Amino acid sequence: MSIEPLLRPNIRALKPYSSARDEFTGKAEVYLDANENAFGSPVGPYNRYPDPYQREVKAKLAKYKGVAPEQIFLGNGSDEAIDLLYRAFCEPGQDEVILVPPTYGMYKVSAGINNVRIKEVPLSEGFQLDIPALKAVYSDKTKLLFICSPNNPTGNSINPETVRAVLKSFPGIVVVDEAYIDFSRQASFISLLGEFDRLVVLQTFSKAWGLAGLRLGMAFASENIIQVFNRIKPPYNVNALTQQKASEALDNIAMKDAMVRDTLSERGRMANAFRQMTFVKKVLPSDANFLLVELPDPVGTYQALIKKGIVVRDRSKVLSCEGCLRFTIGTPAENDLLIQELQNLN
Ligand SMILES: *Cc1c(COP(=O)(O)O)cnc(C)c1O
């Protein structure tokens, strides 16, 4: 099936901006085409516009992920990809998105910014997809459906068989957000890209790679969808420093893997520590780099921890997360401090 009918008519008709680096891509002696400063800069070799298609990073990433470079979009954080999905597929005031709360908050914010109506189908028992309830709300106006796996803030993975069922039944674009996939035993949905041309898999350099400050998000999808992203993104959406550092990081995948191993071992230790605290009501199983923990007085605990200089995330007002705080896994020393302060408080 082609994605063309799903696109907004104005996006289908769009003639994209053609940047200087679109019109000339070879190597030249003298560049006098982009109104750059030929003399340099006060801080380093950043006077030239960056590669608009991030070819070096994509070549390394394609090899690592087992996809073609043409199946990759890179953005200013995953948040840019989320926004572009709405802008490409959802006619403001007309089209709809399906969200499955409790889930990542940006899908809702971005829908609001783009004036896209939201249909919410809450996750059912064990924070899993409710397939009959989802099928009941599909319409020719529902263009996007976001699934976060492992899910933020609950930490569990979504059963892959149910994601497959959605991919088979939903007529729009299915987005699987895998921001935490490196911490999970589940396989990435990237391997299903050949089978489903309406699948978009989001990943990020912000979590396992330890590069939240660079702002680099990845989207993997069929070439058709990536071409749409490339047409509507700001021409130089990923800056030169970010491209350079991401490329260096991809030369040291072993360090990322080692940090993931350390996080997983601390996650196990912290889950045990929480379970041994008599006042803790529940510790949810996690495939991510955080734990959702139910406490008798979440807001009081949150405030008391802040007074001790420890900031955690209060999720106690989120649907089905009542009573819960979300604890990111820190270094062993940070985690020890958290355990100690929690014990002192109770
Ligand atoms: C942290 C997170 C992201 C990452 O967003 P960036 O903009 O790439 O930093 C994406 N999705 C989920 C569910 C997250 O928790």
Side-chain angles (χ1 to χ4, degrees):
M1 198 195 109
S2 156
I3 59 146
E4 286 290 303
L6 292 170
L7 283 173
R8 288 170 64 195
N10 63 313
I11 300 298
R12 217 180 291 146
L14 185 77
K15 191 173 176 315
Y17 173 75
S18 182
S19 74
R21 286 290 82 79
D22 277 313
E23 296 190 355
F24 179 83
T25 53
K27 279 258 174 281
E29 287 294 313
V30 180
Y31 287 98
L32 300 176
D33 58 345
N35 297 348
E36 296 150 337
N37 185 332
F39 296 89
S41 88
V43 293
Y46 302 109
N47 53 324
R48 300 295 176 184
Y49 281 106
D51 177 0
Y53 302 107
Q54 309 96 24
R55 276 165 269 237
E56 185 179 317
V57 180
K58 282 183 187 172
K60 291 182 184 181
L61 203 51
K63 211 164 139 224
Y64 177 45
K65 298 287 179 179
V67 298
E70 294 77 20
Q71 290 176 296
I72 306 174
F73 165 81
L74 296 176
N76 186 10
S78 315
D79 295 344
E80 181 177 15
I82 294 168
D83 180 62
L84 289 182
L85 282 161
Y86 281 107
R87 289 205 276 155
F89 294 105
C90 296
E91 195 60 36
Q94 284 184 33
D95 287 333
E96 302 165 342
V97 61
I98 300 179
L99 303 182
V100 292
T103 193
Y104 184 47
M106 268 315 286
Y107 315 140
K108 194 176 214 167
V109 172
S110 204
I113 292 169
N114 288 288
N115 191 23
V116 173
R117 200 172 332 140
I118 299 168
K119 280 181 171 166
E120 292 196 304
V121 179
L123 294 171
S124 58
E125 199 55 35
F127 300 113
Q128 292 297 328
L129 296 173
D130 184 340
I131 299 290
L134 284 171
K135 284 187 175 167
V137 302
Y138 293 169
S139 86
D140 57 1
K141 299 245 171 283
T142 45
K143 298 290 170 64
L144 294 178
L145 193 163
F146 282 89
I147 298 167
C148 187
S149 184
N151 190 36
N152 181 5
T154 57
N156 64 289
S157 294
I158 305 296
N159 177 346
E161 283 313 309
T162 63
V163 178
R164 200 178 249 284
V166 169
L167 280 163
K168 286 198 170 137
S169 61
F170 183 62
I173 304 287
V174 178
V175 187
V176 181
D177 187 341
E178 295 186 336
Y180 301 97
I181 192 67
D182 293 83
F183 306 105
S184 166
R185 288 148 301 168
Q186 296 285 337
S188 166
F189 276 91
I190 285 180
S191 59
L192 296 191
L193 286 178
E195 199 176 331
F196 298 101
D197 57 3
R198 287 170 295 108
L199 168 65
V200 176
V201 177
L202 302 180
Q203 293 187 4
T204 180
F205 280 85
S206 297
K207 309 288 158 65
W209 286 96
L211 292 170
L214 285 190
R215 310 306 303 129
L216 190 60
M218 307 165 246
F220 302 93
S222 60
E223 256 183 71
N224 287 339
I225 294 179
I226 299 303
Q227 278 168 9
V228 172
F229 283 166
N230 285 340
R231 261 166 47 204
I232 67 176
K233 78 183 185 73
Y236 304 109
N237 62 324
V238 178
N239 70 71
L241 258 178
T242 295
Q243 292 192 40
Q244 182 195 325
K245 290 294 168 189
S247 177
E248 283 175 34
L250 284 162
D251 292 334
N252 196 352
I253 295 169
M255 163 120 191
K256 185 264 292 175
D257 289 340
M259 293 192 293
V260 167
R261 278 197 299 277
D262 289 346
T263 304
L264 295 189
S265 109
E266 281 299 290
R267 184 180 77 195
R269 185 172 78 89
M270 290 306 286
N272 283 335
F274 281 123
R275 288 194 180 103
Q276 275 163 18
M277 297 176 193
T278 50
F279 51 89
V280 165
K281 294 168 104 177
K282 203 196 280 174
V283 184
L284 274 80
S286 172
D287 282 336
N289 66 342
F290 56 83
L291 289 164
L292 194 68
V293 179
E294 192 184 343
L295 296 162
D297 177 18
V299 177
T301 306
Y302 173 81
Q303 281 160 352
L305 284 174
I306 293 221
K307 288 211 182 84
K308 297 291 178 183
I310 301 174
V311 194
V312 301
R313 192 92 156 116
D314 179 6
R315 300 284 77 186
S316 63
K317 274 136 211 113
V318 172
L319 174 82
S320 306
C321 300
E322 292 80 10
C324 289
L325 297 181
R326 192 191 69 193
F327 298 91
T328 303
I329 303 303
T331 64
E334 290 171 339
N335 297 333
D336 283 342
L337 206 61
L338 173 64
I339 294 171
Q340 197 188 331
E341 293 301 347
L342 281 171
Q343 277 163 343
N344 290 346
L345 285 172
N346 287 275

Short mmCIF file of all heavy atoms in Angstrom, two decimals, residues 76-79 104 107 148 152 177 179-180 203-204 206-207 215-217, ligand 1:
data_model
loop_
_atom_site.label_atom_id
_atom_site.label_comp_id
_atom_site.label_asym_id
_atom_site.label_seq_id
_atom_site.Cartn_x
_atom_site.Cartn_y
_atom_site.Cartn_z
N ASN A 76 16.38 16.73 15.34
CA ASN A 76 16.77 17.46 16.54
C ASN A 76 16.00 16.86 17.73
O ASN A 76 15.05 17.42 18.23
CB ASN A 76 16.44 18.94 16.33
CG ASN A 76 16.93 19.81 17.45
OD1 ASN A 76 17.68 19.38 18.33
ND2 ASN A 76 16.51 21.05 17.46
N GLY A 77 16.43 15.65 18.15
CA GLY A 77 15.70 14.86 19.14
C GLY A 77 14.59 14.08 18.47
O GLY A 77 14.18 14.41 17.35
N SER A 78 14.10 13.04 19.15
CA SER A 78 12.94 12.29 18.63
C SER A 78 11.75 13.21 18.52
O SER A 78 10.84 12.99 17.73
CB SER A 78 12.53 11.15 19.56
OG SER A 78 13.63 10.43 19.99
N ASP A 79 11.75 14.25 19.35
CA ASP A 79 10.63 15.18 19.35
C ASP A 79 10.42 15.81 17.98
O ASP A 79 9.30 16.08 17.58
CB ASP A 79 10.84 16.27 20.41
CG ASP A 79 10.83 15.69 21.82
OD1 ASP A 79 10.37 14.54 22.00
OD2 ASP A 79 11.29 16.38 22.75
N TYR A 104 4.14 8.32 26.96
CA TYR A 104 5.01 9.49 26.86
C TYR A 104 4.19 10.74 26.53
O TYR A 104 3.35 10.72 25.62
CB TYR A 104 6.04 9.22 25.77
CG TYR A 104 7.11 10.27 25.57
CD1 TYR A 104 7.80 10.83 26.64
CD2 TYR A 104 7.45 10.67 24.28
CE1 TYR A 104 8.80 11.76 26.42
CE2 TYR A 104 8.46 11.61 24.06
CZ TYR A 104 9.12 12.15 25.13
OH TYR A 104 10.11 13.07 24.92
N TYR A 107 3.54 13.00 22.76
CA TYR A 107 2.59 12.70 21.67
C TYR A 107 1.36 13.59 21.79
O TYR A 107 0.82 14.06 20.80
CB TYR A 107 2.15 11.23 21.70
CG TYR A 107 3.23 10.21 21.91
CD1 TYR A 107 3.02 9.10 22.73
CD2 TYR A 107 4.47 10.34 21.30
CE1 TYR A 107 4.01 8.16 22.93
CE2 TYR A 107 5.47 9.39 21.48
CZ TYR A 107 5.23 8.31 22.31
OH TYR A 107 6.22 7.38 22.52
N CYS A 148 4.51 3.09 22.65
CA CYS A 148 5.83 3.28 23.25
C CYS A 148 6.24 1.97 23.91
O CYS A 148 5.57 1.49 24.82
CB CYS A 148 5.73 4.40 24.30
SG CYS A 148 7.32 4.87 25.00
N ASN A 152 7.10 4.40 28.56
CA ASN A 152 7.36 5.43 29.55
C ASN A 152 6.01 5.97 29.99
O ASN A 152 5.24 6.39 29.11
CB ASN A 152 8.21 6.54 28.91
CG ASN A 152 8.57 7.65 29.86
OD1 ASN A 152 8.27 7.59 31.05
ND2 ASN A 152 9.21 8.68 29.34
N ASP A 177 7.73 3.76 19.44
CA ASP A 177 8.80 4.56 20.05
C ASP A 177 9.66 3.65 20.92
O ASP A 177 9.22 3.15 21.96
CB ASP A 177 8.16 5.68 20.89
CG ASP A 177 9.19 6.66 21.44
OD1 ASP A 177 10.39 6.32 21.49
OD2 ASP A 177 8.79 7.78 21.83
N ALA A 179 12.61 4.40 22.50
CA ALA A 179 13.65 5.20 23.17
C ALA A 179 14.46 4.34 24.16
O ALA A 179 15.64 4.62 24.39
CB ALA A 179 13.00 6.37 23.90
N TYR A 180 13.84 3.31 24.73
CA TYR A 180 14.50 2.50 25.77
C TYR A 180 14.88 1.10 25.30
O TYR A 180 15.16 0.23 26.12
CB TYR A 180 13.58 2.43 27.00
CG TYR A 180 13.28 3.79 27.55
CD1 TYR A 180 12.10 4.46 27.23
CD2 TYR A 180 14.21 4.46 28.36
CE1 TYR A 180 11.84 5.75 27.69
CE2 TYR A 180 13.97 5.74 28.83
CZ TYR A 180 12.78 6.37 28.49
OH TYR A 180 12.54 7.64 28.95
N GLN A 203 13.96 5.89 17.64
CA GLN A 203 14.97 5.63 18.67
C GLN A 203 15.68 6.96 18.94
O GLN A 203 15.38 7.96 18.29
CB GLN A 203 15.95 4.54 18.22
CG GLN A 203 15.27 3.16 18.10
CD GLN A 203 16.25 2.03 17.81
OE1 GLN A 203 17.47 2.22 17.77
NE2 GLN A 203 15.73 0.83 17.59
N THR A 204 16.60 6.96 19.91
CA THR A 204 17.22 8.23 20.29
C THR A 204 18.64 8.02 20.80
O THR A 204 18.97 6.94 21.30
CB THR A 204 16.38 8.93 21.38
OG1 THR A 204 17.00 10.16 21.74
CG2 THR A 204 16.23 8.07 22.62
N SER A 206 19.51 9.90 23.23
CA SER A 206 19.40 10.56 24.53
C SER A 206 19.50 9.63 25.74
O SER A 206 19.75 10.10 26.84
CB SER A 206 18.06 11.29 24.63
OG SER A 206 17.96 12.31 23.67
N LYS A 207 19.27 8.34 25.59
CA LYS A 207 19.18 7.45 26.75
C LYS A 207 20.41 6.54 26.83
O LYS A 207 21.39 6.90 27.44
CB LYS A 207 17.86 6.68 26.72
CG LYS A 207 16.63 7.57 26.53
CD LYS A 207 16.31 8.41 27.76
CE LYS A 207 15.48 9.65 27.47
NZ LYS A 207 14.13 9.44 26.98
N ARG A 215 20.96 16.34 21.40
CA ARG A 215 19.67 16.37 20.70
C ARG A 215 19.77 15.64 19.35
O ARG A 215 19.92 16.25 18.30
CB ARG A 215 19.14 17.81 20.47
CG ARG A 215 19.12 18.71 21.66
CD ARG A 215 18.35 18.10 22.83
NE ARG A 215 16.99 17.77 22.45
CZ ARG A 215 16.42 16.57 22.66
NH1 ARG A 215 17.11 15.60 23.25
NH2 ARG A 215 15.20 16.35 22.31
N LEU A 216 19.72 14.33 19.39
CA LEU A 216 19.71 13.57 18.14
C LEU A 216 18.75 12.39 18.27
O LEU A 216 18.96 11.49 19.07
CB LEU A 216 21.12 13.09 17.77
CG LEU A 216 21.24 12.49 16.36
CD1 LEU A 216 20.85 13.50 15.28
CD2 LEU A 216 22.63 11.96 16.09
N GLY A 217 17.70 12.44 17.47
CA GLY A 217 16.72 11.36 17.44
C GLY A 217 16.75 10.67 16.08
O GLY A 217 17.17 11.26 15.08
C1 LIG B 1 13.27 10.21 26.47
C2 LIG B 1 12.28 9.79 25.45
C3 LIG B 1 12.44 10.15 24.11
C4 LIG B 1 13.65 10.93 23.68
O1 LIG B 1 13.36 12.12 23.13
P1 LIG B 1 14.57 12.99 22.53
O2 LIG B 1 13.83 14.15 21.95
O3 LIG B 1 15.23 12.13 21.47
O4 LIG B 1 15.50 13.33 23.64
C5 LIG B 1 11.52 9.72 23.19
N1 LIG B 1 10.47 8.95 23.55
C6 LIG B 1 10.30 8.56 24.82
C7 LIG B 1 9.19 7.68 25.17
C8 LIG B 1 11.19 8.99 25.81
O5 LIG B 1 10.99 8.62 27.08
#
